[in-house]
Amino acid sequence: MENCSPSVMKRLSKEVRDLVQQPPEGIRVHFDDAKLTDIHAVIDGPVDTPYCGGRFHIRLVMGHSFPQEPPKGYFLTKIFHPNIATPSGEICVNTIKRDWTPDTGLRHLLLVIKCLLIVPNAESALNQEAGRLLLEDYAEYFSRARLFTEVHALQNPAVAAGFEPMEAGDNAVLRDANDNAIASVAASSTAAGTSGLAKRPLAQPAGPAAKKSKKALKRL
């Protein structure tokens, strides 16, 4: 644990407990009393973004200068985003420092990070490729970011894609931002007799779309 003063530790304890009892919408905080300067949280991917339906695990690390300096932030879940470094997951310092004051608090910082999933900032890019695509080819950026979300962050691909729970024998097809079929999702009965989901990849589309999909997958 960093060498924080008793008053800072008391503040952190209160802040974290308040976040657990009254979490911001779409954010859940996890902590260990013995490691209050190392906070973990899960952020739900916002709707109308390529991160929708994903659950993104992040980490906030308070240094000895906290709260004069903001915590360092990291995405533990792999993500394709201009302001998230690859492969470290470090969140852009400029984003975290923006509007930070010693009185700001962790709640505000978590909301800033969630907003970053809604409005990326190409001008402070740590992932240069994501920043370039965001400015030059948004459709490709969306498709790539969505692919990362589906591979690394989706808990239930069918529900996250907007499908209702399925009965055994039903089938559905997941599609990307360009309405290309990504996978077939079939319901199957479990040993207990309840419905389950099985995901089967579809044949890759022919032509340039197939090449793009394969090229993107190699980067995952």
Side-chain angles (χ1 to χ4, degrees):
M1 181 178 291
E2 292 286 349
N3 186 24
C4 293
S5 69
S7 61
V8 170
M9 296 306 297
K10 182 177 180 180
R11 166 185 166 167
L12 275 174
S13 179
K14 182 179 185 306
E15 277 198 68
V16 171
R17 282 171 171 74
D18 286 346
L19 283 167
V20 171
Q21 293 171 6
Q22 296 181 319
E25 184 178 356
I27 301 175
R28 294 171 299 286
V29 174
H30 307 278
F31 74 99
D32 182 340
D33 279 319
K35 298 180 179 179
L36 280 176
T37 55
D38 193 335
I39 306 298
H40 288 240
V42 180
I43 298 179
D44 294 335
V47 297
D48 298 326
T49 74
Y51 312 107
C52 178
R55 291 182 181 177
F56 297 90
H57 293 254
I58 70 167
R59 179 187 180 202
L60 297 178
V61 181
M62 272 59 72
H64 66 277
S65 297
F66 179 86
Q68 301 304 319
E69 295 288 333
K72 291 184 178 180
Y74 303 88
F75 267 71
L76 304 180
T77 303
K78 198 169 183 180
I79 185 173
F80 187 76
H81 189 288
N83 308 114
I84 313 299
T86 301
S88 69
E90 183 179 2
I91 302 171
C92 176
V93 174
N94 291 339
T95 299
I96 292 179
K97 282 188 173 180
R98 187 172 58 220
D99 300 328
W100 176 266
T101 70
D103 299 323
T104 298
L106 298 180
R107 181 179 297 270
H108 172 81
L109 181 56
L110 288 168
L111 290 172
V112 167
I113 294 172
K114 182 180 179 181
C115 287
L116 196 63
L117 298 180
I118 302 172
V119 186
N121 182 4
E123 295 180 359
S124 298
L126 296 180
N127 183 326
Q128 298 298 324
E129 184 178 14
R132 179 183 63 79
L133 288 174
L134 179 64
L135 293 174
E136 298 176 4
D137 189 348
Y138 184 79
E140 177 63 18
Y141 162 76
F142 189 104
S143 180
R144 187 83 59 83
R146 186 62 194 166
L147 185 59
F148 268 68
T149 299
E150 289 170 351
V151 171
H152 300 289
L154 288 192
Q155 303 300 305
N156 185 330
V159 174
F163 294 110
E164 296 295 329
M166 299 185 297
E167 299 297 332
D170 288 348
N171 287 277
V173 175
L174 300 184
R175 297 183 180 275
D176 63 15
N178 298 317
D179 204 38
N180 295 315
I182 296 172
S184 170
V185 180
S188 59
S189 298
T190 63
T194 57
S195 296
L197 292 174
K199 187 175 180 181
R200 300 193 302 271
L202 293 176
Q204 289 292 332
K211 295 180 181 178
K212 285 186 177 181
S213 297
K214 291 178 181 177
K215 188 176 181 180
L217 282 168
K218 288 181 180 178
R219 295 191 176 92
L220 299 183

